[in-house]
C-alpha cells in the first residue's frame, strides 16, 4: 500500500512528514527513489529547523538531485491537498525545456514525478545523453555511500567525532555533506556521505578504520551503511 501525505506545506502536513522520517532516511526503502522526488516536489522550500527530520531529509534529497541524481523506482507515494512545486526540483536544462513545453501544451503533464510515462523515460535517456555531451562525465567505478556513525553515549563530543571520522584519509575516498540526526534519549548520530573509487577503497576496510584506529574509536561505537549506490 502506497504511503500517503496530505498538504505538505501546512503545519499538520509537515508534522506528519517529520514524524514519519524520525526512523527513516528515505520515504520508502533504503535508497533514494522516485518516491522521495515526488514528496520533494510538493514542498515549496526547505522545512524549518522545527521539523528536524523533514529538514534533514529535504537537504539530502536536494543534494542528490544536484550532484548525482536519483534512480530508484520506489514503492509508491500519494500526496493530497496541494500541487507539486515543479520549480523547486533540480533538473538539467534540457529537462526544464521539455517541462516548459509540456506545460504549454497540456496542464496534465505538469507533474514530472508521478507515474512514469513513455515521454518521461525518453526525457531521462536524453538527460543522460546531455550529461555525457556536456563534458561533465561521471567517472566510472565510483560509488556513493551514506553512512551512519553512532557515538558511545550522549556525552560524546559530536564535533570531535566528525573531525575524527574525516581524519581518515585513503586514496579514492572523498567526504561529502553530513548532518546530526536525533536517535533518542538525547543521543544523536552522525550521517555522512562518502564517495569511493571501487577499485581503491573497500567499504569493509573503511568501516574497520573508523572502529579501530585511535583516537576515532574513542568517539565511535558503530558504523552502518545506510545506502550504497553505483555512480
Amino acid at each position: 500500500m502506497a504511503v500517503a501525505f496530505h498538504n505538505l506545506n501546512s503545519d499538520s502536513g509537515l508534522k506528519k512528514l517529520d514524524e514519519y522520517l524520525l526512523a527513516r532516511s528515505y520515504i520508502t526503502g533504503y535508497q533514494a527513489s522516485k518516491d522521495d522526488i515526488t514528496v520533494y516536489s510538493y514542498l515549496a522550500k526547505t522545512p524549518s529547523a522545527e521539523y528536524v527530520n523533514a529538514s534533514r531529509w529535504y537537504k539530502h534529497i536536494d543534494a542528490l538531485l544536484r550532484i548525482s541524481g536519483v534512480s530508484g523506482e520506489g514503492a509508491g507515494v500519494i500526496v493530497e491537498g496541494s500541487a507539486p512545486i515543479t520549480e523547486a526540483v533540480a533538473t538539467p536544462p534540457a529537462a526544464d525545456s521539455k517541462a516548459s513545453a509540456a506545460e504549454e501544451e497540456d496542464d496534465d503533464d505538469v507533474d514530472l514525478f508521478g507515474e512514469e510515462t513513455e515521454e518521461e523515460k525518453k526525457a531521462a535517456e536524453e538527460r543522460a545523453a546531455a550529461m555525457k555531451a556536456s563534458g561533465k562525465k561521471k567517472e566510472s567505478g565510483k560509488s556513493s555511500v551514506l553512512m551512519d556513525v553512532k557515538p558511545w553515549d550522549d556525552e560524546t563530543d559530536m564535533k570531535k567525532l566528525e573531525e575524527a571520522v574525516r581524519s581518515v584519509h585513503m586514496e579514492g575516498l572523498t567526504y561529502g555533506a553530513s548532518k546530526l540526526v536525533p536517535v533518542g534519549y538525547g543521543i544523536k548520530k552522525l550521517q555522512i556521505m562518502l564517495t569511493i573509487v571501487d577499485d581503491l577503497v573497500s567499504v569493509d576496510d573503511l568501516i574497520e578504520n573508523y572502529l579501530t584506529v585511535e583516537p576515532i574509536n574513542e568517539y565511535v561505537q558503530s558504523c552502518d551503511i545506510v545506502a550504497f549506490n553505483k555512480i
Side-chain angles (χ1 to χ4, degrees):
M1 183 177 180
V3 179
F5 297 100
H6 182 78
N7 197 358
L8 288 173
N9 289 300
S10 68
D11 290 338
S12 60
L14 283 171
K15 183 178 180 181
K16 180 177 179 181
L17 177 63
D18 190 66
E19 292 173 347
Y20 180 83
L21 290 169
L22 175 62
R24 297 176 176 87
S25 296
Y26 302 105
I27 298 300
T28 58
Y30 298 98
Q31 65 174 347
S33 71
K34 186 189 298 182
D35 294 341
D36 295 280
I37 300 178
T38 297
V39 176
Y40 175 96
S41 70
Y42 278 84
L43 291 165
K45 59 183 180 180
T46 306
S48 68
E50 174 186 357
Y51 306 104
V52 60
N53 305 304
S55 177
R56 174 261 307 166
W57 165 84
Y58 184 97
K59 292 175 182 178
H60 175 50
I61 298 303
D62 185 71
L64 288 180
L65 287 170
R66 296 179 187 281
I67 297 172
S68 61
V70 173
S71 59
E73 285 299 313
V77 64
I78 298 171
V79 181
E80 303 172 334
S82 57
I85 313 298
T86 55
E87 296 85 352
V89 180
T91 52
D96 289 342
S97 298
K98 288 186 174 294
S100 297
E103 288 173 357
E104 293 175 1
E105 294 174 5
D106 190 347
D107 291 340
D108 291 338
D109 292 334
V110 172
D111 185 359
L112 301 181
F113 303 103
E115 293 187 7
E116 190 171 24
T117 64
E118 289 299 323
E119 290 79 6
E120 290 170 338
K121 291 180 181 179
K122 184 178 179 180
E125 293 174 355
E126 291 177 353
R127 285 199 298 272
M131 289 181 70
K132 290 182 179 179
S134 70
K136 297 181 180 179
K137 299 180 181 178
K138 294 178 181 178
E139 297 182 33
S140 60
K142 286 188 176 182
S143 295
S144 174
V145 180
L146 181 62
M147 185 172 68
D148 278 353
V149 184
K150 297 177 182 177
W152 285 105
D153 52 42
D154 60 345
E155 295 183 358
T156 300
D157 188 323
M158 296 303 292
K159 183 178 180 180
K160 290 184 178 179
L161 180 146
E162 181 172 353
E163 290 175 351
V165 168
R166 290 181 181 271
S167 72
V168 173
H169 298 291
M170 301 175 67
E171 184 180 2
L173 167 65
T174 304
Y175 292 98
S178 65
K179 61 186 73 66
L180 295 180
V181 181
V183 295
Y185 303 101
I187 299 176
K188 295 182 179 180
K189 65 182 177 181
L190 172 71
Q191 195 167 77
I192 186 168
M193 292 198 68
L194 319 169
T195 299
I196 63 173
V197 177
D198 299 330
D199 292 340
L200 299 177
V201 181
S202 161
V203 173
D204 290 338
D205 291 342
L206 189 60
I207 290 179
E208 184 177 351
N209 267 287
Y210 296 131
L211 297 180
T212 61
V213 174
E214 295 183 357
I216 299 177
N217 55 7
E218 177 182 343
Y219 305 104
V220 176
Q221 180 190 77
S222 66
C223 298
D224 298 297
I225 302 301
V226 178
F228 184 94
N229 298 295
K230 297 289 185 180
I231 57 177

